């Protein structure tokens, strides 16, 4: 998912506002556009602990979307996965559990063992999965991140930044099904068996802050207390990230303050959802003369409350030569607020368009000539 630039609202930085005072770094981001509303040492590379699991959940959700994984698939636990310490759901070697329950364990209980089991199932080994985690991070523009494992247990060269974590969180929220897990405060695994396990969400804000429905906490002695939280009010979704907080109560209080500040100072206007048809691009030598152009990401902007904003959109389309692959970029949409460009979103081909063969091309040529003649 591309990072969308947005310059319509000035980013607030440390010193200009009294929030996240005890965090080593912090970011507030608009989930729809990627606009950073507040930042404090946002590019500093720091240990991220279990916030790592956001990427593990992202790759899992993408595998489901791509059809490589089903919710009902049974995941078998290896001895390596079962050996993970820290937060876990106490998987035993050889035990199987559905993707749904594995994800429940990761999202709610921060289960290290479930992360490794999923990684091994998807890529054959944790090492191969971690390679893909790092590749995906680069694709997302996470330039201050490196993963050494899939669960956030202490390891060398395992770090991220508050801004990168916000980018990663935004990518995960593209998959709305994830909040079905991250918003749950408590639940059971292995219910009605001789080994029931009660899960309690490590993110207490899902219970105590109206609108919070995710995403992930983290703690190690090195990383201290971290959190990537998201909340939605009146259609405006915000991501708040803190790293290096001294205590869980301080972490929760500062994130609460960040969310309150964002919702009281800003509002968001969604113009088009992801995948919305906004135009048709011309296709050269295709079986169809045009292809629907859809938005690659949600299109919108953030505005300061109390300030009147006028906006307009501008679409640029590029003729494409067949064959056209589904998802190829065919143009872009720019959004202007009060005369300033605040975002640009790629426009993609909604469908595949095949190239004409010799006979189809001849027929289309004849048709154009006849039509032109009638017009004369």
């Amino acid at each position: 998912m591309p990072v969308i630039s947005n310059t319509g609202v000035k980013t607030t930085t440390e010193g200009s506002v009294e929030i996240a005072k005890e965090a080593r770094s912090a970011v507030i981001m608009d989930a729809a556009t990627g606009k950073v509303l507040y930042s404090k040492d946002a590019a500093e590379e720091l240990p991220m602990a279990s916030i790592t699991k956001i990427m593990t959940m992202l790759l899992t959700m993408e595998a489901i979307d791509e059809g490589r994984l089903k919710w009902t698939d049974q995941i078998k636990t290896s001895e390596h996965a079962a050996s993970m310490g820290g937060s876990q759901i106490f998987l035993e070697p050889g035990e199987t559990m559905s993707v749904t329950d594995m994800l429940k364990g990761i999202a709610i209980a921060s289960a290290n063992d479930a992360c490794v089991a999923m990684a091994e199932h998807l890529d054959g080994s944790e090492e191969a999965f971690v390679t893909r985690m790092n590749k995906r991070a680069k694709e997302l523009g996470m330039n201050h991140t490196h993963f050494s494992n899939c669960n956030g247990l202490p390891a060398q060269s395992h770090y991220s930044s508050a801004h990168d974590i916000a980018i990663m969180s935004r990518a995960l929220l593209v998959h709305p099904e994830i909040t079905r897990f991250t918003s749950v405060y408590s639940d059971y695994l292995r219910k009605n068996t001789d080994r029931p396990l009660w899960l309690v969400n490590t993110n207490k804000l899902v219970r105590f802050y109206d609108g919070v429905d995710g995403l992930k906490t983290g703690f190690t002695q090195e990383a201290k207390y971290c959190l990537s939280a998201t909340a939605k009010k009146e259609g405006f979704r915000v991501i708040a990230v803190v790293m290096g907080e001294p205590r869980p109560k301080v972490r929760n209080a500062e994130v609460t303050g960040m969310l309150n500040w964002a919702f009281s100072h800003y509002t968001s206007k969604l113009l088009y959802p992801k995948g919305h048809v906004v135009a048709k691009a011309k296709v050269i030598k295709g079986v169809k003369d045009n292809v629907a152009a859809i938005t690659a990401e949600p299109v919108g902007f953030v505005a300061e409350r109390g300030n009147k904003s006028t906006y307009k959109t501008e679409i640029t389309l590029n003729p494409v030569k067949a064959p056209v692959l589904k998802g190829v970029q065919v143009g872009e949409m720019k959004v202007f607020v009060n005369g300033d460009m605040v975002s640009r979103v790629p426009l993609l081909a909604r469908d595949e368009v095949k190239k004409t063969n010799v006979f189809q091309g001849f027929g289309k040529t004849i048709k154009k000539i006849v039509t032109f003649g009638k017009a004369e």
Side-chain angles (χ1 to χ4, degrees):
M1 180 171 59
V3 180
I4 302 172
S5 63
N6 188 324
T7 57
V9 178
K10 185 178 179 181
T11 299
T12 301
T13 55
E14 181 185 8
S16 59
V17 64
E18 290 294 313
I19 55 177
K21 291 185 291 184
E22 297 197 48
R24 287 191 62 180
S25 64
V27 159
I28 304 175
M29 179 181 284
D30 169 44
T33 64
K35 168 64 186 175
V36 173
L37 307 177
Y38 169 84
S39 66
K40 173 185 176 181
D41 298 326
E44 186 176 355
E45 296 173 355
L46 297 169
M48 59 182 141
S50 284
I51 283 183
T52 300
K53 296 178 174 77
I54 292 175
M55 181 60 81
T56 300
M57 290 190 286
L58 173 60
L59 293 186
T60 300
M61 296 303 298
E62 289 179 343
I64 291 171
D65 281 359
E66 293 163 6
R68 296 189 292 111
L69 191 67
K70 296 179 181 178
W71 292 107
T72 54
D73 285 351
Q74 295 297 306
I75 311 302
K76 190 172 183 178
T77 306
S78 69
E79 289 190 11
H80 175 58
S83 72
M84 294 295 109
S87 302
Q88 56 187 301
I89 53 175
F90 305 100
L91 293 168
E92 295 182 350
E95 180 178 0
T96 60
M97 191 172 282
S98 70
V99 171
T100 297
D101 284 346
M102 285 285 188
L103 200 54
K104 186 186 297 185
I106 295 169
I108 301 175
S110 195
N112 296 321
D113 48 0
C115 285
V116 176
M118 285 301 311
E120 292 176 338
H121 180 85
L122 285 170
D123 285 273
S125 69
E126 183 183 6
E127 291 77 13
F129 185 81
V130 171
T131 296
R132 201 152 60 84
M133 292 172 74
N134 285 309
K135 180 182 177 182
R136 190 71 180 98
K138 291 300 180 186
E139 292 171 352
L140 290 169
M142 297 168 60
N143 298 321
H144 297 281
T145 297
H146 185 269
F147 297 105
S148 295
N149 59 46
C150 66
N151 49 30
L153 287 169
Q156 287 188 337
S157 299
H158 191 88
Y159 57 84
S160 189
S161 68
H163 184 257
D164 281 4
I165 288 169
I167 291 172
M168 178 169 63
S169 301
R170 182 176 174 235
L172 180 58
L173 288 166
V174 168
H175 308 273
E177 304 95 333
I178 196 63
T179 59
R180 178 162 62 99
F181 301 93
T182 59
S183 64
V184 174
Y185 183 70
S186 65
D187 203 347
Y188 275 94
L189 281 179
R190 306 187 192 92
K191 198 171 184 179
N192 302 320
T193 72
D194 58 353
R195 295 176 57 228
L197 181 64
W198 186 39
L199 308 177
V200 178
N201 202 321
T202 55
N203 181 10
K204 306 306 178 189
L205 293 184
V206 300
R207 182 178 181 182
F208 297 113
Y209 191 99
D210 185 31
V212 169
D213 52 7
L215 278 170
K216 194 70 199 70
T217 61
F219 170 77
T220 62
Q221 288 295 335
E222 183 184 22
K224 301 303 180 186
Y225 293 91
C226 307
L227 174 61
S228 178
T230 183
K232 187 175 183 180
K233 290 187 177 181
E234 299 176 355
F236 180 26
R237 180 175 289 282
V238 170
I239 298 165
V241 178
V242 292
M243 303 182 74
E245 293 277 15
R247 296 178 300 280
K249 286 188 177 180
V250 174
R251 173 187 66 188
N252 294 345
E254 293 208 329
V255 170
T256 295
M258 291 166 72
L259 294 173
N260 287 341
W261 177 84
F263 288 127
S264 64
H265 284 77
Y266 297 97
T267 186
S268 177
K269 183 171 181 62
L270 178 66
L271 304 180
Y272 302 105
K274 177 182 177 181
H276 188 81
V277 177
V278 294
K280 290 184 177 181
K282 183 179 179 181
V283 177
I284 302 170
K285 295 184 178 180
V287 295
K288 295 181 179 179
D289 292 329
N290 54 61
V291 62
I294 62 173
T295 52
E297 298 297 333
V299 181
F301 62 91
V302 180
E304 295 183 50
R305 288 190 180 275
N307 291 347
K308 291 185 178 180
S309 300
T310 59
Y311 69 89
K312 70 174 183 177
T313 61
E314 180 181 289
I315 294 174
T316 302
L317 296 172
N318 305 315
V320 287
K321 191 173 181 180
V324 179
L325 298 178
K326 180 180 179 181
V328 71
Q329 184 168 346
V330 296
E332 71 173 7
M333 173 181 283
K334 296 177 182 178
V335 179
F336 296 85
V337 177
N338 298 332
D340 296 323
M341 188 180 74
V342 299
S343 69
R344 53 200 305 167
V345 177
L347 299 179
L348 311 178
R350 185 187 63 182
D351 309 301
E352 177 185 359
V353 180
K354 294 182 179 180
K355 186 178 181 179
T356 57
N357 58 38
V358 175
F359 298 105
Q360 289 171 322
F362 179 75
K364 289 183 72 173
T365 301
I366 293 298
K367 182 179 179 181
K368 287 182 179 179
I369 292 172
V370 172
T371 300
F372 180 78
K374 286 183 178 179
E376 287 287 309

